[in-house]
């Protein structure tokens, strides 16, 4: 049965240990699939700024916050008390400019950060001064841009970067690669992550759209974790071998609508139905081998037809209709089972920064609140 909601929601595994005076005895924990969890608000970052501020990243020492105004594209740098240290706009023409940001900015140390774009990686000082540009030897491109997504991750001396364009034929899934590894010392780009042999996208006879194999990923200490947008499988790679996954786990969502790959694509490419299929939109490695996954179950053909019925040009209306029957939110996957969706306050919009299960930052749901200041909420996962 579908859970009807417009909210994004999440889940988590908690283990209980009962202690006696004589010894500690581990008690059976509540199964992950039966737990009821929620995001509990317990703190916030308040910035004296009129606009729709969203959090992009927090410095490694936790002292500095990097935010962006969705309306103006201004970047704001604040301290932990919300005081604005810098405010500027490098998205316009100028000596420090970047073009076509493809995802959230990333701190690379306490004083510098990266802006990922569809063409390159751009390195800045906190003050907005341009330091370096990491350009590939090919012309970068993108068939899908999600400005709030995670497209670059730093690990050791490398950046793992989601960028397209190395392979002119983006539909040649057999020979293409899905990410690039960028050496931060030399600036050299290396294509990594071919289509796994066990993936449905490895079938050259099947038909897929670019949205279907858009990847989400995360990087741990010695592993890279990878999921395609319309395939409920988690691929785990060792950083020492990025050619084939060490482990593959199917994610047992209660419902997840995949494309019927035996049917040809309408008009040879994208149509609005593509956006109503099942979609895995974010992946975060958690403690104890668990994963936080943001997904949408997608609509059946009949449900999609009903959502689009009578709507000529207002795409927002289609998505509003879809939200009434769609299942959308965060779940925890422990490698075997998937938790229920986790509830969250209506003040919370999308998850902005995951530090640990006790420090999870959410942007404000602007449709619910209008302020003359900006708020980013700090939450933790708790049992209801």
């Amino acid at each position: 049965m579908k859970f009807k909601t417009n909210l994004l929601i999440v889940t988590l595994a908690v283990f209980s240990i009962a202690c006696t005076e004589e010894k500690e005895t581990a008690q059976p924990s509540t199964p992950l699939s039966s737990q009821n969890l929620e995001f509990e608000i317990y703190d916030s970052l308040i910035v004296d700024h009129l606009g729709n501020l969203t959090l992009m990243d927090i410095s490694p020492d936790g002292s500095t916050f990097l935010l962006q105004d969705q309306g103006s594209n201004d970047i704001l740098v604040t301290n932990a008390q919300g005081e604005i240290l810098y405010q500027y706009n490098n998205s316009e023409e100028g000596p420090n400019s970047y073009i076509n940001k493809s995802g959230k900015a990333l701190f690379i140390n306490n004083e510098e950060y990266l802006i990922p774009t569809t063409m390159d990686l751009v390195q800045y000082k906190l003050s907005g001064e341009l330091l370096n540009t990491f350009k590939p030897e090919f012309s970068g491109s993108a068939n899908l841009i999600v400005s709030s997504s995670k497209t670059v991750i730093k690990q050791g001396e490398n950046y793992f970067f989601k960028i397209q364009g190395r392979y002119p034929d983006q539909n040649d899934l057999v020979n293409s690669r899905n990410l690039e590894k960028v050496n931060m010392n030399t600036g050299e780009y290396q294509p990594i992550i071919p289509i796994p042999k066990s993936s449905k996208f490895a079938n050259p006879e099947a038909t897929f759209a670019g949205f279907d194999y858009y990847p989400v990923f995360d990087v741990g200490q010695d592993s890279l974790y990878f999921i395609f947008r319309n395939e409920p499988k988690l691929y785990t790679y060792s950083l020492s071998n990025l050619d084939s996954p060490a482990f593959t786990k199917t994610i047992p969502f209660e419902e997840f609508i995949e494309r019927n790959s035996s049917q040809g694509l309408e008009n040879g490419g994208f149509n609005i139905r593509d956006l109503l299929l099942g979609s895995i939109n974010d992946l975060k490695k958690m403690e104890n081998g668990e994963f936080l996954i943001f997904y949408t179950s997608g609509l059946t053909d009949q449900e999609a037809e009903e959502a689009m019925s009578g709507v000529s040009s207002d795409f927002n209306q289609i998505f509003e209709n879809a939200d009434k029957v769609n299942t959308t939110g965060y779940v925890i996957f422990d490698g075997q089972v998937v938790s229920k969706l986790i509830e969250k306050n209506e003040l919370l919009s999308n998850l902005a920064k995951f530090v640990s299960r006790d420090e999870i930052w959410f942007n404000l749901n602007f449709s619910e609140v209008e302020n003359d200041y900006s708020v980013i909420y700090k939450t933790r996962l708790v049992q209801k």
Side-chain angles (χ1 to χ4, degrees), residues 52-114:
N52 293 350
L53 276 190
T54 59
L55 174 65
M56 293 193 290
D57 203 9
I58 303 173
S59 63
D61 65 4
S63 67
T64 311
F65 290 70
L66 190 63
L67 306 105
Q68 186 164 33
D69 189 309
Q70 289 186 318
S72 67
N73 285 329
D74 280 7
I75 288 178
L76 283 80
V77 181
T78 78
N79 61 21
Q81 291 71 48
E83 298 171 334
I84 298 175
L85 306 177
Y86 302 101
Q87 181 173 349
Y88 47 83
N89 193 330
N90 286 334
S91 67
E92 301 173 349
E93 293 185 5
N96 294 330
S97 65
Y98 63 85
I99 300 174
N100 296 332
K101 184 168 76 74
S102 62
K104 293 191 295 187
L106 170 76
F107 270 107
I108 57 177
N109 55 48
N110 293 322
E111 303 295 331
E112 300 167 359
Y113 67 91
L114 285 178

Side-chain angles (χ1 to χ4, degrees), residues 27-202:
Q27 300 295 323
S29 62
T30 303
L32 178 61
S33 58
S34 301
Q35 292 179 31
N36 294 304
L37 296 145
E38 65 179 340
F39 289 111
E40 177 185 69
I41 298 173
Y42 69 96
D43 202 352
S44 63
L45 175 76
I46 298 177
V47 182
D48 185 11
H49 176 82
L50 181 59
N52 293 350
L53 276 190
T54 59
L55 174 65
M56 293 193 290
D57 203 9
I58 303 173
S59 63
D61 65 4
S63 67
T64 311
F65 290 70
L66 190 63
L67 306 105
Q68 186 164 33
D69 189 309
Q70 289 186 318
S72 67
N73 285 329
D74 280 7
I75 288 178
L76 283 80
V77 181
T78 78
N79 61 21
Q81 291 71 48
E83 298 171 334
I84 298 175
L85 306 177
Y86 302 101
Q87 181 173 349
Y88 47 83
N89 193 330
N90 286 334
S91 67
E92 301 173 349
E93 293 185 5
N96 294 330
S97 65
Y98 63 85
I99 300 174
N100 296 332
K101 184 168 76 74
S102 62
K104 293 191 295 187
L106 170 76
F107 270 107
I108 57 177
N109 55 48
N110 293 322
E111 303 295 331
E112 300 167 359
Y113 67 91
L114 285 178
I115 293 283
T117 80
T118 59
M119 297 175 288
D120 49 32
L121 291 169
V122 190
Q123 181 181 357
Y124 290 98
K125 274 187 169 183
L126 288 181
S127 60
E129 177 187 346
L130 177 65
L131 293 176
N132 198 4
T133 301
F134 299 89
K135 287 187 175 294
E137 64 272 24
F138 55 88
S139 296
S141 64
N143 61 18
L144 176 64
I145 297 176
V146 182
S147 60
S148 61
S149 68
K150 176 176 56 184
T151 59
V152 60
I153 297 173
K154 179 179 180 292
Q155 180 66 19
E157 298 300 311
N158 296 302
Y159 302 124
F160 293 88
F161 185 25
K162 178 165 50 182
I163 183 174
Q164 295 175 301
R166 180 182 289 274
Y167 302 95
D169 184 0
Q170 293 292 342
N171 292 320
D172 181 9
L173 301 185
V174 174
N175 295 312
S176 66
R177 299 294 182 268
N178 291 284
L179 296 175
E180 296 278 336
K181 183 170 72 171
V182 186
N183 185 295
M184 61 187 296
N185 295 318
T186 66
E188 179 184 1
Y189 279 65
Q190 175 189 348
I192 58 172
I193 313 296
I195 299 290
K197 293 180 180 179
S198 61
S199 171
K200 67 182 181 182
F201 300 114

Side-chain angles (χ1 to χ4, degrees), residues 299-316:
L299 273 57
T300 64
D301 287 342
Q302 180 178 346
E303 291 169 337
E305 185 176 343
E306 292 174 355
M308 294 184 290
S309 177
V311 181
S312 57
S313 59
D314 186 0
F315 285 173
N316 287 332

